Amino acid sequence: MKREIPHTFSGRVLDFRFPTAWQQLNQEQLRYVFLVITLFSPVKAKTYVFMRITGIRIRKRVKEGWLCTFRLSWHKKLRFILHDWQIHSFLRQIDYISQPNTCPVRLDKIGGRYAIDAKLHGLSFEDYLCCENHYQGYLYSHDVSQLKSLYGFLYKKKPGFRGSLKAAFSRIKGYELVSIFLWWGSIKLHFASLFPHFFQPFQRMDDADQPEVPDLMGAMNAQIRALTGGDVTKEKEVLQMDCWRALTELDAKAHDIQELKSKQKNGHN
């Protein structure tokens, strides 16, 4: 991967403009980040990312710290010492790669197919529900086929592109499936911030009362009924609705229900 982040060198000071959020990473950097967080522990992954996107090479341990090199040009290489506290400071700048992401980012292309909009604009409500079912299915079963099914909804072939979905599956790497899982997870966090009335925090019940697997079909049918108002003739129209429009309506309905419950509660006090 080519070094992409800008740097300056003057007065024997090497300075980088380090990416401090997921959305600042380019596609090459994103792909590398997804690879290392799949293979290594958080600290080791951040160390690899730091070295890869800066171009700094750690050569060996010395008494003062770590002997490093950085190529300023084809004919000039800089040698310097990095102290442990400096490395820890640099790694803290990329803590975000091991934390939940509320700004959805994804790989543009996987297995010969191209990603839909990062925030799901244009995705039908029906496909959104299917994606959520596969995501929840993976959470409870860890069956990788659930992520492959999710891939089928989120990545599309271009018109005229030849090749079956089965052939595409054979080219998907493990870290690419992880990237799809993290993409949908960031979508859920993003939507929770935009539609707070509908996406309520999960309330845990006692272990004896909590089911092992959530009632996904029941939840899906409840959402469809809320949008159709119980009119089955409107179901097809609702399922074809853009998911953003559907979630906006569901959030408004949830808000109205919460307001009503609040008024009823205050009325009894």
Side-chain angles (χ1 to χ4, degrees), residues 27 31 34 105-118 123 131 147-158 165 168-169 172 176-177 179-181 183:
Q27 281 293 303
R31 189 169 288 274
F34 286 132
V105 295
R106 80 284 191 259
L107 298 178
D108 288 345
K109 183 180 178 181
I110 294 178
R113 291 189 164 219
Y114 296 82
I116 63 173
D117 180 78
L123 183 71
C131 288
L147 293 182
K148 291 182 177 180
S149 295
L150 189 57
Y151 162 80
F153 285 96
L154 299 179
Y155 286 81
K156 306 295 183 180
K157 65 179 181 179
K158 287 188 174 181
L165 188 60
F169 282 163
I172 299 178
E176 292 173 326
L177 288 174
S179 77
I180 294 169
F181 173 76
W183 175 15

Side-chain angles (χ1 to χ4, degrees), residues 84-232:
D84 287 340
W85 68 267
Q86 291 175 305
I87 294 178
H88 293 156
S89 177
F90 292 141
L91 296 187
R92 280 197 295 271
Q93 295 184 53
I94 48 178
D95 279 345
Y96 60 89
I97 72 170
S98 57
Q99 297 171 349
N101 177 27
T102 57
C103 183
V105 295
R106 80 284 191 259
L107 298 178
D108 288 345
K109 183 180 178 181
I110 294 178
R113 291 189 164 219
Y114 296 82
I116 63 173
D117 180 78
K119 296 181 180 179
L120 308 188
H121 288 290
L123 183 71
S124 71
F125 185 53
E126 180 177 20
D127 285 353
Y128 166 82
L129 292 174
C130 291
C131 288
E132 177 64 10
N133 284 345
H134 289 305
Y135 177 81
Q136 294 293 339
Y138 177 76
L139 285 179
Y140 281 85
S141 69
H142 298 290
D143 182 354
V144 74
S145 67
Q146 297 284 357
L147 293 182
K148 291 182 177 180
S149 295
L150 189 57
Y151 162 80
F153 285 96
L154 299 179
Y155 286 81
K156 306 295 183 180
K157 65 179 181 179
K158 287 188 174 181
F161 178 82
R162 295 184 177 180
S164 66
L165 188 60
K166 182 178 180 180
F169 282 163
S170 66
R171 297 193 295 270
I172 299 178
K173 299 178 176 64
Y175 76 88
E176 292 173 326
L177 288 174
V178 169
S179 77
I180 294 169
F181 173 76
L182 294 177
W183 175 15
W184 194 262
S186 68
I187 284 289
K188 290 175 67 67
L189 291 175
H190 183 62
F191 281 173
S193 67
L194 295 174
F195 310 114
H197 305 291
F198 178 65
F199 289 97
Q200 290 290 306
F202 178 70
Q203 300 295 326
R204 291 188 65 90
M205 299 179 290
D206 294 335
D207 289 341
D209 298 325
Q210 185 179 348
E212 294 183 0
V213 181
D215 183 8
L216 300 178
M217 185 61 69
M220 181 180 69
N221 287 331
Q223 293 175 41
I224 295 173
R225 284 197 303 272
L227 292 174
T228 62
D231 186 348
V232 295

